[in-house]
Amino acid sequence: MPADTVSVTGWGRTAPTTARLVRPRSYEEAATAVRECGARGGIARGLGRAYGDAAQNAGGAVLDMTGLDRIHAIDVGGGTVLCDAGVSLHRLMEVLLPLGWFVPVTPGTRYVTVGGAIGADIHGKNHHGSGSFARHVLSFELLTADGEIRTVGQGEPLFDATAGGMGLTGVILTATVRLQPVETALMSVDTERAVDLDDLMARLTATDHLHRYSVAWIDLLARGANMGRSVLTRGDHAPLNALPPRARRHPLAFRPSRLPAPPAFVPEGLLGRTTVGLFNELWYRKAPRARTGELQRIPTFFHPLDGVPHWNRVYGRAGFVQYQFVVGHGREEALRRIVGRISEHRCPSFLAVLKRFGEGDPGWLSFPMPGWTLALDIPANLPGLGAFLDELDEEVAGAGGRVYLAKDARLRPELLAAMYPRLDAFRSLRRELDPRGVFTSDLSRRLGL
């Protein structure tokens, strides 16, 4: 079984650690890798799109699961797929869209594996109506620390511990996922501007139920009367009769485009306050005040950054922090304060998005809860960033909110219990299932998971 000692980091490139990278090509090899991972344990890894240290394991083993990438069965009539955990959402779209099916939930990149989607219990632009990924998983096969392969279904404690459990209950081998029917590979998209944060929240609250997908880009450098000005984008899968005649010839064609990758080393300071401020101004002004029914391809609507390979390089050698939190409905004042503090701190974020979450999901460490979630990227070398984010953590926890573990690389462990009330249940099940701590990551050591 191939294995190399390599430096491993998350997509944010902020906290690299060295581990033994193992590449199993069969379930048997995965079981062998778990048995032989050593005193420092092991953790499964997909395509490396967790921003922080969730799929790293300093001094231990990291299991690259992308070699287990078979699609075993598709129920075209019933709308389910059985596949290996190493299959990417990109591959599922390639295979399923021509058959009239789409993945039930996708984040801002399609380059995540099914196993990673379950382990992080990913969410997308449709959480307000469809929930997170694990809600659509009927069952999965889990390789546990004792070497047993268990079939785990919805409603079982092990299912709820694994959904959002960041790979710490075992290695997901296969999953059966319920799909979303579609008539075309195009989206019907409405776009409009919101003049400030209150205007944005009012629009989302009033109309979210009318659209399957919604998201807002938010200008976090805007201050004063413009604080929180945004571009709101909402979409639905376009029906066949909405397409022009030429597009109806191949309505389910999936055609992603790719641009050249940024250079391996980008000058520091490229994404500073001045350049991001200029970008934000241009992006807001070029957006239509109101436009309805624009047809966009699925990659354009869901995954615009996937068209730029290794786009994370634009932050330079220091990398970037992706900070995402959620606060509940009724805590809008806390959201206003946090957005105001980010604006006053002049955080240069050009990938900041606000969404409205629906009902929470059963995963004990699942991130979404009913309320408002804000995600922003910040260059890691911004002066005073660590102390500033610590203050935001306190504000979020005090409002009954939480930060997203799949994007975290710096949360203080003492805040975790306040953010995740089912943490004790998760820890208890882990101790029972894995008393030797076979499944371990940099994230789990840092936070005491």
Side-chain angles (χ1 to χ4, degrees), residues 344-374:
E344 290 303 317
H345 198 76
R346 310 298 289 156
C347 288
S349 176
F350 77 101
L351 294 177
V353 295
L354 184 79
K355 294 193 289 282
R356 189 167 175 264
F357 279 161
E359 290 302 313
D361 296 282
W364 293 344
L365 295 187
S366 289
F367 168 68
M369 57 184 285
W372 305 93
T373 181
L374 176 66

Side-chain angles (χ1 to χ4, degrees), residues 156-180:
E156 298 180 37
L158 186 53
F159 188 103
D160 295 343
T162 302
M166 307 311 298
L168 297 172
T169 61
V171 178
I172 299 169
L173 298 177
T174 70
T176 300
V177 183
R178 185 173 52 243
L179 304 170
Q180 167 68 36

Side-chain angles (χ1 to χ4, degrees), residues 364-417:
W364 293 344
L365 295 187
S366 289
F367 168 68
M369 57 184 285
W372 305 93
T373 181
L374 176 66
L376 60 149
D377 64 297
I378 315 169
N381 58 3
L382 186 71
L385 179 61
F388 177 65
L389 292 182
D390 284 346
E391 293 172 2
L392 294 191
D393 290 341
E394 297 278 359
E395 183 98 34
V396 169
R402 59 184 63 141
V403 300
Y404 192 14
L405 298 183
K407 296 186 176 181
D408 177 61
R410 28 116 349 245
L411 179 68
R412 303 197 316 275
E414 59 268 25
L415 291 178
L416 194 64

Side-chain angles (χ1 to χ4, degrees), residues 98-149:
L99 302 176
W101 296 99
F102 189 61
V103 295
V105 171
T106 177
T109 175
R110 60 187 179 273
Y111 295 110
V112 297
T113 62
V114 169
I118 297 170
D121 201 11
I122 60 169
H123 56 272
K125 298 177 176 68
N126 59 340
H127 190 278
H128 59 281
S130 300
S132 56
F133 192 86
R135 186 181 297 185
H136 306 272
V137 176
L138 302 179
S139 64
F140 52 78
E141 288 184 307
L142 186 71
L143 172 63
T144 50
D146 55 8
E148 182 180 345
I149 297 177

